[in-house]
Amino acid sequence: MRTIDPSLAMHLGCDATTLCHAWRVARRDGVVLGFTEHDHDLTFAYTTFTAASGFSASATEEEAGLPAATSDVAGGFSSEAITEEDLQRGAYDGARVEVFLVNWSAPEQHLLVKVQEIGEVVRDAGQFRAELRSFAHRLNQPQGRVYGRRCDAALGDSRCGVDLAQPQFHVECAVALVRNESQIQVSGIGRVGDDFFRFGELAFLDGAAEGQGVIIQSYSGADGVLTLWLPLVVLPEVGDRVRLTAGCDKAFSTCRTKFSNHLNFQGFPHIPGADFAYTYADGETVHDGSALFK
């Protein structure tokens, strides 16, 4: 049962109130930030909650039990607080958010309403909207393994076992041309197949984009053009050094021919696909339950 401070309870019973919301955000890297929808900074609970222009919360509903309730908080990017670069690199993914109801005329009168975490974040035209999820949403996440024909391990992790530090799986080169936020051209790779870096990682080793890493959607060996899954937040310059790491499409054939790791394949390649399951017996195909790969 929640206990409300008597002074705040008395204020809530008045005909006119001076209430606002405040949010304390604790990122996973240890950074703690405070924000409020009020037009002046507030200080309480050992935290300074800065006033952010346009920072507001949506209406929320609460239910008994363990519903995965969500709400939204929206605001503008600020160089002193939340930056677009921080959101792009995932600094706020899974951050803990404490939501307070506070009497802005007497900030010592405050109430911790709920504790949530940041879910999906949408960025558009210098603004952001963050989804605040109840911790109960974790109960809806799938547990255990998914049985599928493709591998469910991440390339290079302990379940996969491939050592990406081996020289045949990565190469360092230089940026030759920046076409746009999603396409750059590199030089100095040599002869590499178009699919070698597909689903791999592009990491910048120096320059303005140093430390930034993105997933490669496709690579053209003819002209050295990399197409990226997500646009770059900070564009590199010609001559910046980059490292390209090989990618994997999770197929059994790729695991065997590209990485020689088929004995450790973490998928189930012999599970029949939908096309096989919906076929019927005829005189040209064999449905004897034998292995699909021999």
Side-chain angles (χ1 to χ4, degrees), residues 11-49:
H11 180 72
L12 292 173
C14 296
D15 294 334
T17 59
T18 54
L19 300 174
C20 67
H21 287 94
W23 300 268
R24 180 161 54 193
V25 181
R27 299 185 340 198
R28 291 183 296 178
D29 57 3
V31 176
V32 178
L33 301 171
F35 306 96
T36 178
E37 61 186 354
H38 189 49
D39 56 2
H40 288 82
D41 294 350
L42 302 175
T43 301
F44 61 90
Y46 308 102
T47 305
T48 298
F49 297 82

Side-chain angles (χ1 to χ4, degrees), residues 204 237-238 275:
F204 294 92
E237 297 180 356
V238 174
D275 54 344

